[in-house]
Amino acid sequence: MSYYQINRIIKIDQLIRDLGKASREKILELNGCDVKTLKSDIKFMKSITDSFVYDRKVKGYKYRSDFDLFNFANDQTLLIYLLFKEILKTENYIPIENNNILKDLESKLVLTTLKNVKDKISYILSEKEKINFQSVMKIIEALKSNTLLEIKYDGAVKETTERRIEPYHLYNYQGKWYLGAFCLLKRELRSFSLNRMLFIQNLKNKFNPESRFSKREIQEFFLDSFGIAVGKRIETAIIRFDNNLIKQLRNQKWHPKQKSKIIEISGVPFLEFSFPVSKYEELIGRVLRFSPYAEIIEPKQMRNEWLDKLKLTFRRFCDDG
């Protein structure tokens, strides 16, 4: 249930309490929604209470017995409010200054008990990376108009380069913003960190976003694999955890397409995760956090890089010889 649906449901409830009924016409006018959305909201109201019925005599919906919507809706609104509060506090996930969203959500917390509870529940969002608001607006404008961007990019290894890119997708990945684009210099799809864009300018040159790749190809390249893809092919990662971590990790989801299973080797249970991967560094780092109880099985190249990091760590800090 989204915040927007909660907001519409609350307005329907208020209509019934103020006018004794909520006609279809009044609901459509008040919520500014279409008939399809109205039917969905009506279906939802009927699913949460048998008291919500249509009365032909009054030509509208009403409660045939007492029903307190906020006993149902406010708990969900509370969690959404607390999440939005943390997100907007850093201006990282939503890089805007708009307290009206929070005020609107907080106004729905009408019960005193919930107002007290909101100080006892928290979302802690880690790895926040603040970005320039003007850069985001320039990128959004380019996405809307399908026009090229000129950027000056600070390379991770090489020197700063100037590039022209076709922007395809702007996304926040674990607290950091990236722009998925076709690089005219490298002639391939790339992910560009907004934090490393030293300069960005909108150009008037238009391009057809579907002339090179389909929407599905863009989705697969930028969003369907573990790690930010940088021109690498997508492979299947297999991570194995021994018995010490099964209880801790068996219900964790590292990727939307993850498959999890318990296997036995010589009578000993192990937990295995498998999912798409395109960039090794981030996944290797996460597996290292669970050493010595986690092992990378596939792909072979990622396994070798993981083993190299373990050997280097040992030689640097533990090998006196």
Side-chain angles (χ1 to χ4, degrees), residues 3-60:
Y3 158 69
Y4 300 103
Q5 186 176 27
I6 290 175
N7 201 34
R8 294 195 305 269
I9 295 302
I10 288 173
K11 290 179 180 178
I12 293 173
D13 176 79
Q14 199 61 49
L15 276 176
I16 297 174
R17 298 188 187 283
D18 291 344
L19 306 178
K21 68 173 184 177
S23 67
R24 292 187 178 94
E25 295 77 13
K26 197 67 178 176
I27 295 173
L28 289 170
E29 177 188 345
L30 187 63
N31 282 334
C33 61
D34 55 24
V35 175
K36 184 179 180 180
T37 302
L38 169 64
K39 289 181 178 179
S40 174
D41 292 341
I42 295 302
K43 182 179 180 181
F44 178 80
M45 289 292 290
K46 289 180 177 179
S47 72
I48 63 174
T49 176
D50 293 334
S51 178
F52 183 80
V53 296
Y54 184 79
D55 189 329
R56 295 183 181 276
K57 292 182 179 179
V58 300
K59 297 181 179 180

Side-chain angles (χ1 to χ4, degrees), residues 98-124:
N98 192 344
N99 290 324
N100 291 332
I101 299 175
L102 287 179
K103 290 178 180 177
D104 190 25
L105 279 168
E106 192 163 21
S107 69
K108 306 300 185 295
L109 306 178
V110 296
L111 300 182
T112 304
T113 54
L114 286 182
K115 286 187 176 181
N116 293 334
V117 170
K118 74 182 179 68
D119 296 324
K120 300 178 181 180
I121 304 173
S122 299
Y123 285 90
I124 301 175

Side-chain angles (χ1 to χ4, degrees), residues 239-250 261-272 290 292-295:
I239 313 299
R240 184 178 296 164
F241 308 92
D242 73 15
N243 192 39
N244 293 280
L245 294 175
I246 289 180
K247 288 184 179 180
Q248 178 182 344
L249 297 179
R250 69 185 309 161
K261 64 179 179 180
I262 302 293
I263 63 170
E264 282 197 7
I265 301 176
S266 301
V268 179
F270 291 85
L271 172 65
E272 275 194 358
F290 294 97
Y293 306 113
E295 177 184 8

Side-chain angles (χ1 to χ4, degrees), residues 25 46 50 66 82 120 125 133 170 180 194 210 228 245 257 264 301:
E25 295 77 13
K46 289 180 177 179
D50 293 334
D66 289 341
L82 293 171
K120 300 178 181 180
L125 305 176
F133 173 70
L170 177 66
L194 266 65
E210 296 184 26
I228 300 301
L245 294 175
K257 292 188 175 182
E264 282 197 7
Q301 183 181 342

Side-chain angles (χ1 to χ4, degrees), residues 306-318:
W306 165 69
L307 289 172
D308 287 343
K309 287 187 179 295
L310 288 174
K311 293 173 184 176
L312 179 61
T313 301
F314 179 81
R315 286 199 301 269
R316 183 172 181 183
F317 298 108
C318 303

Side-chain angles (χ1 to χ4, degrees), residues 166-177:
E166 298 175 354
Y168 288 156
H169 199 94
L170 177 66
Y171 51 101
N172 189 296
Y173 184 80
Q174 297 193 348
K176 300 178 181 180
W177 283 96

